Amino acid sequence: IFRSMFSLLNLFAMVEIDVIGRALFEEAPAALFLIVPFVMFTAYGITSVVIAIVVRSMHRQARDLELYHNKRETGARVKSMHRLLDRINTVAPAETDGMLTLEQLQRGMQDPDVLLYLEELQVPRNFSPHEVLLLVDQTGRGEVTQEEFVIAFERLLDKDDFEQKCLSRVVMNRTKA
């Protein structure tokens, strides 16, 4: 029985198929019509299962890698947002208690570093200071606290397709103003 099991294993693995097939054909040709389809279906069936497992594993790893890169990119953009706010406060100090106004943004956006930070945040290049303010001004007051600025930008950074969300946020906030 062990020899038979070993022969079936070799058939399944398609090793020495010519030797086993010839001996089987000479001794029991009718069995060949049962064993060959069985071996073919099992060999290709198990191969398909193995391939499916590998593909599924690769898909999971690709998704995890994409999530990792997205989190990393979002972290870098959050740092850029904080540098942007610090640079605006340096170039154009707040005239009122920690409020970010349109005038302050207009003065700040004269600075090349501020424009660089906005580019790192992937804010559309042709956004005006008024549109940047509308992007983060959820109340429509025309000014935001620094905390509101940070919260609004962090919400935008957590999503995909950042530029589209910026544009839709500007339109929504413009209707409030």
Side-chain angles (χ1 to χ4, degrees):
I1 198 151
F2 290 113
R3 290 183 68 197
S4 298
M5 288 174 58
F6 183 71
S7 297
L8 279 176
L9 177 66
N10 283 341
L11 268 176
F12 172 72
M14 295 192 174
V15 177
E16 300 176 4
I17 191 85
D18 55 337
V19 175
I20 297 171
R22 183 178 299 142
L24 188 61
F25 184 70
E26 289 174 0
E27 293 297 320
L32 196 61
F33 294 110
L34 295 174
I35 290 178
V36 168
F38 170 76
V39 168
M40 297 300 279
F41 282 123
T42 31
Y44 291 119
I46 292 198
T47 303
S48 296
V49 169
V50 168
I51 289 172
I53 290 170
V54 169
V55 167
R56 185 176 181 189
S57 173
M58 293 302 292
H59 185 266
R60 282 184 184 162
Q61 288 179 356
R63 186 186 63 221
D64 291 346
L65 185 62
E66 183 179 349
L67 288 173
Y68 169 76
H69 284 298
N70 286 344
K71 283 182 182 179
R72 197 167 142 197
E73 181 181 319
T74 299
R77 290 168 68 193
V78 166
K79 288 179 185 175
S80 291
M81 184 258 314
H82 285 288
R83 288 194 306 260
L84 167 70
L85 192 55
D86 290 342
R87 186 65 183 165
I88 289 174
N89 287 327
T90 302
V91 172
E95 295 172 1
T96 56
D97 275 342
M99 297 298 282
L100 184 63
T101 63
L102 179 60
E103 293 78 27
Q104 187 181 5
L105 267 175
Q106 286 171 336
R107 286 193 318 254
M109 287 179 72
Q110 303 288 325
D111 184 61
D113 288 338
V114 170
L115 296 176
L116 178 70
Y117 294 139
L118 286 171
E119 187 176 319
E120 287 176 6
L121 289 168
Q122 297 177 356
V123 172
R125 291 177 193 249
N126 58 353
F127 256 35
S128 68
H130 181 66
E131 289 172 322
V132 172
L133 185 62
L134 286 174
L135 184 66
V136 294
D137 184 10
Q138 297 176 358
T139 61
R141 294 187 318 247
E143 61 184 12
V144 293
T145 66
Q146 297 201 16
E147 184 179 338
E148 289 172 333
F149 182 88
V150 169
I151 289 170
F153 252 104
E154 284 179 348
R155 285 181 183 158
L156 288 169
L157 293 174
D158 285 339
K159 305 298 179 203
D160 294 347
D161 204 5
F162 184 69
E163 187 170 343
Q164 286 295 326
K165 294 202 183 315
C166 288
L167 295 172
S168 64
R169 177 64 67 94
V170 167
V171 170
M172 288 188 316
N173 288 339
R174 188 175 286 155
T175 58
K176 292 179 189 176

